[in-house]
Amino acid sequence: MIEVRGVGQRAGGGRRTLRDVSLTIESGELVAIIGGSGAGKTTLLDAIAGVRPPAEGEVRFDGEARVNGDARVNGGAFGYVPQDDIVHLEMPLRRTLRYAAGLRLPSGTPPQRAERAVDAVMDALALTERAGQRVGSLSGGERKRASIAVELLTRPRVFFLDEPTSGLDPATAADLMRLLRGLADSGTTVVLTTHHPPDVAVCDRVAVLTQDGRLAFYGEPDVAREEFRVGGIEDIYLRLAETEPHEWEGRFGTDAAPAVGPGVGAFGQWALLARRNLDLLSRNRLTLAVLAGSPVMVLAMFAVLFRPGAFSPESPSPGATVMILFWIAFGGFFFGLTYGLLQICTELPVVRRERLTGLRVGSYVLAKVAVLLPLLALVDALMLGVLRGLDRLPAMGWGTYAELFVTLLLCSLAALALGLLVSAAVTDPAQATMALPMLCFPQVLFVGAILPVPVMAAPGRWLSYAMSNRWAFEGLGHSLGVERLWGSGRSPLGPPLLASYGDTFGRAVAADWAVLAGFTAVFLAGTCLLLARRT
Ligand SMILES: Nc1ncnc2c1ncn2[C@@H]1O[C@H](COP(=O)(O)OP(=O)(O)OP(=O)(O)O)[C@@H](O)[C@H]1O
Ligand SMILES: [Mg+2]
């Protein structure tokens, strides 16, 4: 049973989009929310489903408030189908449904049963022939049905659908309503919004919203027709349009499942999401081009820019060595940042939807790291290997190069975490792209390479502590013994050549690693918190 009590919502500018809505939905009822475009149907549905909790009032399920990502919700208790069909567009339909089944079916479901569930929903929604087709290439109505199929894999206890029948032909729409009627009859509570009058006839109750977000009526469809003194549901829209919205308020009285197993655990979700990430990554040519292309181009630029043998005491160029180390660190930072930046903002609506079915943000974020970190490791190793091969880096033992690699990978990881954090904070890819230079600039200026930390203005020096790149740069310098080469008075070349850098490279590299790991932990935790709030 769902109790909605005095629910109100406000839009961005403080405008009220929903006013004091109260209604009770009994278990196993099929309820339609109708009203003009912009009346607040989606807003009300989202408030009830918990997608956007209400600003005023409360929603209780069987007498309890609920929390997204709650273990009890896991295992498919809630299903939510948004107005815009939101599924990954690159993947074939069957595969999309397989991943969805993995996330939503109770843990321990045998693969054959999951496969049968996938076949069954495709059959129920007449999508069997489209199984191999990319979701992005389905027709509007097919995509809508695919979006519904995702939630039907499990039998949700409560099912929310925003305009499930829009974009469908009358016969398919009637089929879908029959399907939902059947779900309700077998115990699932179904709440939907619609613009199709015929849909309302099969519903137990209808909620009518006025144009300013008040509840004009809540009750059985037949009663609605009587109360509004109209012949058909479509005439209610006309009657609503004829009258001032507030006149309806208070004119009508408002009257006051299947077994769910425990959902997939945190680790199971992580493993499944990691596999899906990899799958998506391999299907998106543009992303692949960026992932592979930017390291290749940057590496080519380094090879052209740096001269060989800069570290050799025979032809010393201390300034160049410092710059080489800085740009290597910055390269690691840049790859991590760009890898992370577009990850979350491009699929936030998907995450929002999956959160309702019990997705854990921790599993989600770590699944991103799991797929991108090996790629970064590859790129970082390649960068060190190629620069050594071209004699841009000095000949040193494997131990030194292992140290350089760890430093660089931690640098990339911290940047990846920063990228994910920003990606979770922005609203779309355009904003994420605009954030890129703003994130890079300070990591160039305040790192202490171009202007050494000891000669920075005091505020700059403080700021330099917050730059993950600074710690990577100094760690690289320490491992390569820059200080020994031309640092303090102990230099074999006589007077210190890099005196202005002071003891920049003096710190043990393990300390730099600890700081970089700390940055990573803070950024990842921030990403999780932010995502939990935004979804
Ligand atoms: N994030 C938002 N910022 C500003 N206004 C919003 C926001 N979300 C919704 N609104 C406004 O709230 C009102 C209700 O929106 P809602 O999406 O609930 O309408 P609806 O009844 O679902 O309409 P439709 O039938 O067109 O889908 C609209 O006027 C809309 O512009
Ligand atoms: Mg809507």
Side-chain angles (χ1 to χ4, degrees):
M1 185 178 74
I2 307 170
E3 294 163 281
V4 179
R5 292 285 163 259
V7 160
Q9 194 67 286
R10 280 173 195 279
R15 189 167 62 88
R16 303 185 69 177
T17 51
L18 212 57
R19 295 160 198 256
D20 192 27
V21 175
S22 296
L23 47 88
T24 302
I25 301 167
E26 297 293 338
S27 163
E29 274 187 338
L30 178 56
V31 174
I33 301 171
I34 67 170
S37 185
K41 298 182 296 299
T42 303
T43 309
L44 177 59
L45 193 76
D46 286 357
I48 303 178
V51 175
R52 227 159 67 87
E56 300 151 16
E58 61 169 3
V59 179
R60 292 183 162 269
F61 292 83
D62 291 335
E64 283 180 56
R66 70 181 277 273
V67 185
N68 284 351
D70 189 321
R72 283 174 304 137
V73 178
N74 229 355
F78 279 69
Y80 175 79
V81 179
Q83 186 163 3
D84 312 307
D85 19 59
I86 291 158
V87 268
H88 290 109
L89 298 179
E90 300 92 345
M91 265 196 288
L93 177 60
R94 178 183 286 279
R95 199 164 268 260
T96 303
L97 291 174
R98 274 193 200 139
Y99 283 119
L103 268 186
R104 286 169 174 81
L105 291 175
S107 65
T109 306
Q112 307 92 302
R113 263 197 63 193
E115 198 62 18
R116 274 207 302 281
V118 169
D119 286 336
V121 291
M122 284 200 296
D123 187 48
L125 291 165
L127 288 168
T128 309
E129 284 171 23
R130 301 279 168 273
Q133 206 167 316
R134 218 163 45 82
V135 172
S137 68
L138 295 174
S139 80
E142 286 166 348
R143 204 150 57 228
K144 187 101 217 171
R145 277 179 281 152
S147 182
I148 295 169
V150 164
E151 304 302 334
L152 280 184
L153 286 164
T154 54
R155 276 267 318 275
R157 264 191 355 194
V158 191
F159 199 10
F160 300 98
L161 304 101
D162 200 0
E163 298 194 18
T165 55
S166 63
L168 301 187
D169 65 89
T172 318
D175 274 347
L176 178 63
M177 286 309 292
R178 263 198 295 282
L179 185 88
L180 295 175
R181 179 73 260 176
L183 272 179
D185 289 341
S186 56
T188 298
T189 307
V190 183
V191 185
L192 55 89
T193 68
T194 182
H195 279 302
H196 287 188
D199 298 350
V200 178
V202 296
C203 293
D204 297 306
R205 283 170 203 278
V206 55
V208 183
L209 288 180
T210 64
Q211 206 52 43
D212 64 349
R214 297 170 208 261
L215 188 64
F217 175 84
Y218 181 61
E220 291 171 23
D222 287 342
V223 181
R225 278 201 297 274
E226 280 169 30
E227 295 277 359
F228 283 93
R229 293 187 294 283
V230 292
I233 292 290
E234 57 272 34
D235 298 327
I236 290 180
Y237 289 91
L238 302 178
R239 297 273 283 128
L240 281 172
E242 282 165 6
T243 351
E244 283 296 308
H246 63 264
E247 286 181 34
W248 293 108
E249 200 180 28
R251 273 179 65 173
F252 311 112
T254 53
D255 37 15
V260 170
V264 183
F267 180 76
Q269 283 192 355
W270 171 82
L272 184 103
L273 291 169
R275 254 186 299 139
R276 186 175 72 179
N277 280 339
L278 197 62
D279 204 341
L280 283 167
L281 215 58
S282 65
R283 281 166 200 283
N284 192 327
R285 297 232 177 89
L286 184 68
T287 320
L288 271 184
V290 173
L291 292 189
S294 72
V296 169
M297 275 167 51
V298 168
L299 204 49
M301 288 188 232
F302 284 177
V304 171
L305 183 66
F306 307 144
R307 76 168 173 81
F311 285 82
S312 131
E314 284 84 63
S315 57
S317 43
T321 59
V322 170
M323 282 302 123
I324 290 174
L325 292 178
F326 164 70
W327 286 110
I328 290 176
F330 185 79
F333 170 84
F334 184 76
F335 302 143
L337 188 66
T338 48
Y339 280 22
L341 214 43
L342 290 181
Q343 287 295 322
I344 299 176
C345 61
T346 47
E347 57 177 22
L348 196 64
V350 181
V351 182
R352 198 167 272 151
R353 180 175 169 176
E354 287 173 346
R355 282 276 285 157
L356 289 168
T357 65
L359 181 82
R360 291 173 174 84
V361 285
S363 305
Y364 173 79
V365 171
L366 289 180
K368 292 284 180 201
V369 176
V371 171
L372 296 169
L373 189 60
L375 289 177
L376 285 171
L378 196 71
V379 168
D380 287 344
L382 199 72
M383 182 152 68
L384 290 177
V386 169
L387 290 180
R388 170 66 207 113
L390 297 174
D391 196 30
R392 267 59 171 181
L393 285 175
M396 295 268 196
W398 284 104
T400 305
Y401 271 89
E403 246 179 65
L404 293 178
F405 175 70
V406 172
T407 309
L408 197 54
L409 187 58
L410 283 172
C411 173
S412 296
L413 179 61
L416 174 66
L418 178 64
L420 291 174
L421 177 65
V422 174
S423 193
V426 299
T427 51
D428 56 44
Q431 280 189 3
T433 314
M434 282 192 295
L436 183 63
M438 281 304 112
L439 292 167
C440 288
F441 245 91
Q443 298 275 1
V444 174
L445 295 180
F446 296 100
V447 168
I450 292 167
L451 191 65
V453 173
V455 296
M456 279 183 192
R461 228 176 300 144
W462 299 329
L463 209 54
S464 73
Y465 284 100
M467 299 297 124
S468 60
N469 249 350
R470 172 181 169 186
W471 307 87
F473 161 66
E474 295 183 357
L476 293 177
H478 180 83
S479 298
L480 279 182
V482 169
E483 201 188 32
R484 238 177 309 113
L485 276 176
W486 18 77
S488 53
R490 281 174 285 129
S491 163
L493 298 175
L497 295 168
L498 289 175
S500 59
Y501 284 85
D503 58 357
T504 293
F505 305 104
R507 197 181 318 102
V509 73
D512 296 315
W513 292 353
V515 174
L516 288 170
F519 274 116
T520 306
V522 169
F523 292 150
L524 287 181
T527 309
C528 290
L529 285 177
L530 198 59
L531 260 186
R533 269 196 49 191
R534 290 196 67 190
T535 59

